[in-house]
Structures are given as C-alpha cells and as structure tokens.
Amino acid sequence: MNKFYFLEDFKGKVFWKAMDYGSSSFLCEVLERRKPKDIRMIFSEVKDQICMLMFDGYSSSVIIKLAKVCDGQQMNQLVSSVTANVNLLKALCLHPQGSESMQKFLPCLRTPEQITRMISVFSSLTVPFLKDEFGSGVIDYCFHVFPTEETQPIDDVITDNFLEIATNENGSYLLKVFYSKGFLLECRPRILSEIISNAHHLSHDRFGSHVLVFLIASSKMRDLVGGGIVARLTGAFASLSINRYASSVVLELMKQYKEEYIPQIVNEIISSPDFSRVLRDPYGKRVLKYAKKYSTETICEILNHQISLHSDHMHYA
C-alpha cells in the first residue's frame, strides 16, 4: 500500500481525493483489502455523487472498485444514486469517459431488481442514446451483458421508434449491428411490420435506405421482409429508380429476388409514364442495367425492346 497516504486523512475529502491520480490509486488499494469498515467510510462519502465521479477517469476507477466489493445493500444504494437524476445519467452516458465508466459499472449489477431498475431508466433514454456514438455503446453493452428478458423494455422502445432510429446515421448503424448479432428477435413480428409499413419513407432516406438494403440482403431477414417490402413499394418502382437512395433498394430487391420479383418490377417500370425519365436518369440507368443482369432472357428481350422504342429521341447508355 502507498505509504504516503492514510485513509484517516481522507475523511470528509474522499469525493475530491478520488479525482487525483495518486489518491485514487490509494483508495482502490484500500478497497481491494475488502475491510468492511474502510468500505463503509469510502461508500458513505461518495454514494450520493456516483454519476459525477464517473465523469472522471481516476474517480470512476474508485467507483467501479467500490461496486465490486460493496455488499448487496450498498450496491442497491449505488444503483439508486445512479438512477436518481435521469438528466445527469443521460449526460453521463453521452460523455466519452462517462459511457466507458457506465459500461464497466453495468457488469457489477447483481440482482434482477438492480438490472430492472437500470434497464427501466435506460429505456426512457434509448432513442437519444442510439443517436449518439457514446450513448449507443451503453445500449449495445446492455444487450451483451443482460438476459434477453431483461432488455425487453429497450426492445420495445426501439420498435416503437424504429423509423426515427433507422433514419439517423448512428441509429441506422446500430440497428444493423443488432440484427447481425441476433438481438431484437423477441420483437421481430412488430419490427417487421414497422419496416414494411415505412418502406417507402425508409427507401428515400440516406440512412433508412441502408437499413432496408441490409435487411433485404440478410439471410436472417430476407425471406421475412422481401414480399412485404415489394408489396408496399408497388406502384412506385419507376420513381424509386431515379432517386439516389431509393434506387439502391430497388437494386437489392432485384439482386436478392431474381425470379420472384424482377418480372413485376421491370414490367412496372417499363409501363410507367416515367419510363423515359428512368432512361435519362443516372440512377435509373443503373437500375435497368441491373435488371438486365439478373433477369431471364425473356425479360431482357422485353426490356431491350422497350428501350429501343425510345432510342429515336433519347440516348441510353
């Protein structure tokens, strides 16, 4: 133990001493000894300021060490302190050091009641968390360390706010991560309904279109969403083909569902009053080239014939 410090000298000063490098190391050494009297002394001076101390790298190490060695009743009080001020907890989890500290604190939870309390508060913050680089790390970590039944409130919030999350840069990335790791399965029927009902909006959005393309290409989701998305987008494939973001969704549908839906998609495009716009548009041209690539010989002949009818008064590359 560091011979330059004595715990008695820290009485009434633990909060401030915890934020000093040398003092925080000393406090961690004291806690490692697991003497109940010393733990009680440190606990009594920091228990009401847990969130504030977790903003700092040095003091957060003291809090994590305390969480590991305190008894069940003391841990209940730490959880109560962390969740007492929702705005402060939000600020903590959106902070680089705070997010890291919280992810180290979460595995220290020991009882279902403690986990339930943390998840309950996190569920009210899920949307802003998923839109943030550091906040999303906390939600992602919850999925990794807690049982599926415990994270259900977070699943429900994600489902209820799917469109808002999917059209956010960070949120869209996290949704793809969650699906690839098999999370959110308990809410899959509801989420599928959200995906399909919002397919048109998602297709036209920079980030939402990425989510749709990912799901259409995913072996876990492809057979579940394909038919519903095609049905929802029917009547709009020509206009979708000339949109920067939506055209990527049309391309992926043709790639993944060659036999099932390419005839329908191609027939709708060539029958559309907007077909000439598709021929002139750079994104539309790309859609038609993909249509040729993945279509049967018969569909290609029909498509080429329709293109040739327009060749007298426009150039098709």
Side-chain angles (χ1 to χ4, degrees):
M1 180 171 294
N2 195 318
K3 63 182 179 180
F4 300 107
Y5 297 104
F6 299 94
L7 187 59
E8 293 78 11
D9 296 334
F10 281 37
K11 190 173 181 64
K13 306 174 185 177
V14 173
F15 175 83
W16 300 108
K17 291 290 187 181
M19 289 183 275
D20 172 76
Y21 171 71
S23 299
S24 65
S25 296
F26 167 72
L27 289 169
C28 286
E29 291 176 8
V30 170
L31 291 169
E32 286 178 353
R33 295 171 57 193
R34 296 177 180 265
K35 291 186 176 180
K37 180 181 178 181
D38 294 342
I39 293 174
R40 285 195 298 271
M41 182 269 194
I42 296 172
F43 173 82
S44 66
E45 295 206 16
V46 302
K47 64 183 178 67
D48 296 324
Q49 303 290 337
I50 300 301
C51 280
M52 292 302 298
L53 290 168
M54 289 172 73
F55 276 100
D56 177 78
Y58 297 138
S59 55
S60 68
S61 64
V62 176
I63 298 306
I64 302 307
K65 180 66 69 174
L66 175 63
K68 291 179 179 179
V69 303
C70 67
D71 61 32
Q73 185 176 5
Q74 289 169 332
M75 189 61 193
N76 285 339
Q77 292 183 60
L78 292 185
V79 173
S80 296
S81 177
V82 167
T83 57
N85 186 327
V86 176
N87 289 329
L88 182 57
L89 178 61
K90 178 181 177 180
L92 175 69
C93 293
L94 298 183
H95 183 272
Q97 177 59 55
S99 174
E100 181 180 336
S101 299
M102 181 54 64
Q103 292 176 57
K104 292 179 180 178
F105 180 80
L106 292 175
C108 299
L109 302 181
R110 304 168 194 170
T111 67
E113 291 75 20
Q114 292 169 1
I115 296 172
T116 297
R117 178 153 188 169
M118 288 299 305
I119 293 295
S120 176
V121 177
F122 282 159
S123 65
S124 68
L125 299 169
T126 293
V127 175
F129 276 11
L130 290 183
K131 291 182 175 183
D132 180 83
E133 175 185 0
F134 302 109
S136 59
V138 175
I139 299 299
D140 187 32
Y141 201 77
C142 287
F143 283 128
H144 282 89
V145 299
F146 299 137
T148 300
E149 59 271 18
E150 298 288 356
T151 60
Q152 189 62 47
I154 294 177
D155 293 8
D156 291 336
V157 172
I158 292 175
T159 303
D160 293 340
N161 297 274
F162 181 85
L163 182 60
E164 182 178 355
I165 296 169
T167 53
N168 171 266
E169 180 175 11
N170 199 75
S172 65
Y173 169 76
L174 262 295
L175 285 176
K176 291 184 285 186
V177 170
F178 293 160
Y179 285 123
S180 65
K181 293 181 179 179
F183 301 148
L184 305 175
L185 292 180
E186 295 299 317
C187 289
R188 190 162 64 179
R190 288 175 56 210
I191 287 181
L192 290 175
S193 177
E194 286 293 307
I195 293 168
I196 292 169
S197 64
N198 291 294
H200 198 276
H201 189 145
L202 291 167
S203 295
H204 284 82
D205 183 80
R206 175 183 177 185
F207 304 112
S209 61
H210 291 170
V211 174
L212 272 189
V213 168
F214 173 83
L215 295 174
I216 294 168
S218 169
S219 59
K220 297 178 182 178
M221 302 291 286
R222 182 172 57 242
D223 295 336
L224 299 174
V225 300
I229 291 175
V230 170
R232 189 69 175 178
L233 299 180
T234 294
F237 282 113
S239 62
L240 292 169
S241 297
I242 57 178
N243 178 272
R244 176 180 181 181
Y245 305 118
S247 60
S248 64
V249 176
V250 180
L251 294 177
E252 197 62 36
L253 286 170
M254 292 192 296
K255 179 180 178 181
Q256 298 297 333
Y257 307 101
K258 303 178 183 67
E259 297 178 358
E260 298 99 319
Y261 301 121
I262 276 188
Q264 174 187 339
I265 294 172
V266 170
N267 182 64
E268 182 180 314
I269 292 174
I270 64 178
S271 302
S272 170
D274 290 328
F275 183 49
S276 60
R277 293 182 61 194
V278 176
L279 289 172
R280 292 193 301 266
D281 185 87
Y283 301 110
K285 290 179 181 180
R286 187 162 177 253
V287 167
L288 295 179
K289 287 179 179 178
Y290 265 69
K292 289 182 179 181
K293 179 179 179 180
Y294 295 115
S295 294
T296 63
E297 184 177 348
T298 300
I299 297 297
C300 279
E301 289 178 356
I302 295 172
L303 181 54
N304 284 329
H305 176 68
Q306 290 299 317
I307 292 172
S308 67
L309 294 177
H310 292 73
S311 62
D312 291 340
H313 52 88
M314 68 178 62
H315 174 70
Y316 176 72

